[in-house]
Amino acid sequence: MAEATDDRLRLLIERIERLEEEKKGIADDIRDVYAEAKAVGYDVKIMRQIVRLRKMKPDDRAEMEMVLDTYKAALGLG
């Protein structure tokens, strides 16, 4: 039984390692896209913010924007 457990553990670890490699490859691809965007004149920092906003649920985004506006107003920023 211990051998089967050891094999299962080894297979799980190997799957995790493969997925980590894929994740690294995807992260490299994303970095390349941002570099391409920067090369043609886009503001990468703003693009990252837009990507973050688009991931959010509409209600969460609206709440965040409302709080941000409140803080900005309190600090005289607009």
Side-chain angles (χ1 to χ4, degrees), residues 32-47:
D32 291 345
V33 172
Y34 280 119
E36 180 182 338
K38 184 176 181 177
V40 296
Y42 289 107
D43 185 323
V44 172
K45 186 185 288 187
I46 298 301
M47 288 178 63

Side-chain angles (χ1 to χ4, degrees), residues 13 18 20 22-23 25 38 42 44 46 48 50 72:
I13 295 295
R18 277 193 307 277
E20 289 289 342
E22 289 177 31
K23 184 170 76 171
K38 184 176 181 177
Y42 289 107
V44 172
I46 298 301
R48 289 182 188 277
I50 294 296
K72 285 168 48 178

Side-chain angles (χ1 to χ4, degrees), residues 52-78:
R52 237 184 339 269
L53 288 172
R54 287 173 52 113
K55 284 182 190 178
M56 295 175 80
K57 294 178 185 170
D59 289 344
D60 293 340
R61 185 172 52 244
E63 180 181 345
M64 186 206 64
E65 289 172 351
M66 184 181 69
V67 172
L68 180 61
D69 288 343
T70 301
Y71 282 27
K72 285 168 48 178
L75 297 170
L77 296 174

Side-chain angles (χ1 to χ4, degrees), residues 8-20:
R8 175 76 187 237
L9 176 61
R10 183 182 48 76
L11 291 172
L12 290 169
I13 295 295
E14 288 172 357
R15 277 176 56 199
I16 291 168
E17 289 170 341
R18 277 193 307 277
L19 290 168
E20 289 289 342

